[in-house]
Structures are given as structure tokens and as C-alpha cells.
Amino acid sequence: MLDTGAGKTMIAVMLMKAFAREIDRSKDDWKITIFLAPNVQLVEQQCKLIKTHTDFEVGLYCGATRADQWGGDRWREQVSKHQVMVMIPDVLLNALRKAFFSLDMVNLMIFDECHNATGSHPYSMIMKEFYHHSEYKPKVFGMTASPVIKKGVSSDLVVKFSSLNWKGF
């Protein structure tokens, strides 16, 4: 947990760069990095920052891109074109549920505003439905500035993440 403006996204960018060899398209076993943000404004903001501070091929996915209506061919095209995919979690969850996408393809998943990973939030569902059932487990990095989301909810992130079996590095 770091305060707003404390550089969480820059830490995420440094992680992406640290694992850049895994998203290198010249390798036979390349992967992609997924950056999830809970709303379109944050997706756009994070996508712009990643493009500014890296030379990665970065794609943006949200309702406006109509990614929830794509088929397997369109997803394969996007995966082949981008090293980093920045999206709202609903887009990833739908692609995973339709089997157009697999976590086996991912080296690192970054969850912005990870304090939302409770109940039936798409962050939580991605972990419960797919991460835990995936033979290959991508690295996970969660970022938050506000671990308490509503009155009466525990702010103990260790308890929340351990209930999802989040595994770090």
C-alpha cells in the first residue's frame, strides 16, 4: 500500500521492464503482461503512462473497444501485436470465460486498485475461476492506496489476499 501519487504505477513499470525478456517476441516461449484497472479512466491513464515510460507494444481494452464482442481470431491478433495489454477486468474475465484467452499466455498480472478484489468483483473472479485452476501461475502484483473500501470491511490486506491465495514473486 502506497499513498496516491507515491509511484505505484512506476513500480509496476519497473516490474514490467524487469521481466521484459519474457515478453520478447523474438523468443519462442514469449508471454504477455496484463495490467488491470477498474475503470476506463484509469485504463487510459495507465496505458498512456506505460507507453511513455517503455518501448513495449501496448494495447488498451475496454467497453469502447468492443473487446467483449470479439471472437478468438481477434484476440489472437491482439495478443500477437501487443506485449502489454491494459484493460478493465471485465474484459479479461469475459475472454477467459469464453476461452479466447488463457493465463498460460501471461507472465505478469498487475491489479490496480486491488483492494476491490472481494466478493464477486471481476478481480476476485479472475483469481478464483482461472488463476487457481491454471497449471502455469503468472506473477501477480497488486497496487492500492486505499485498503478500506467501505465501513465494516477489514483493512487487513494480508487476510484478503491470503483468502484468494495470491502468490507474489
Side-chain angles (χ1 to χ4, degrees):
M1 181 179 83
L2 290 173
D3 290 335
T4 300
K8 292 179 295 295
T9 304
M10 289 309 298
I11 294 169
V13 166
M14 288 188 285
L15 278 173
M16 286 182 232
K17 288 179 176 182
F19 296 111
R21 68 185 178 286
E22 296 175 11
I23 59 175
D24 182 349
R25 293 292 190 250
S26 68
K27 307 234 184 237
D28 290 335
D29 59 345
W30 58 266
K31 306 269 184 197
I32 59 171
T33 294
I34 300 291
F35 192 115
L36 299 171
N39 60 58
V40 175
Q41 180 182 359
L42 283 173
V43 165
E44 291 171 345
Q45 175 185 319
Q46 304 298 30
C47 187
K48 182 178 178 183
L49 194 141
I50 295 165
K51 285 180 178 181
T52 299
H53 294 283
T54 72
D55 60 356
F56 298 139
E57 295 296 326
V58 183
L60 183 149
Y61 308 90
C62 59
T65 63
R66 305 182 69 117
D68 57 334
Q69 298 175 11
W70 293 351
D73 290 340
R74 184 72 188 269
W75 274 109
R76 280 188 289 282
E77 173 192 332
Q78 293 300 306
V79 167
S80 70
K81 286 174 40 175
H82 298 106
Q83 295 167 289
V84 178
M85 301 176 84
V86 184
M87 62 185 78
I88 59 171
D90 298 292
V91 168
L92 179 60
L93 183 58
N94 288 335
L96 289 166
R97 284 179 172 165
K98 293 177 181 176
F100 295 146
F101 202 90
S102 166
L103 292 184
D104 294 347
M105 306 159 66
V106 180
N107 75 320
L108 173 64
M109 286 194 305
I110 299 167
F111 291 76
D112 193 6
E113 305 289 335
C114 67
H115 58 269
N116 290 310
T118 61
S120 61
H121 187 278
Y123 282 173
S124 183
M125 301 312 293
I126 289 165
M127 296 301 287
K128 290 176 184 175
E129 292 180 26
F130 298 96
Y131 183 84
H132 298 308
H133 300 286
S134 179
E135 185 174 322
Y136 171 81
K137 305 258 191 283
K139 294 170 221 44
V140 173
F141 179 64
M143 307 186 310
T144 187
S146 50
V148 178
I149 57 174
K150 59 186 172 185
K151 189 175 182 174
V153 174
S154 170
S155 63
D156 185 353
L157 290 177
V158 174
V159 172
K160 285 183 184 178
F161 290 157
S162 65
S163 72
L164 293 172
N165 289 323
W166 289 60
K167 304 228 186 308
F169 305 99

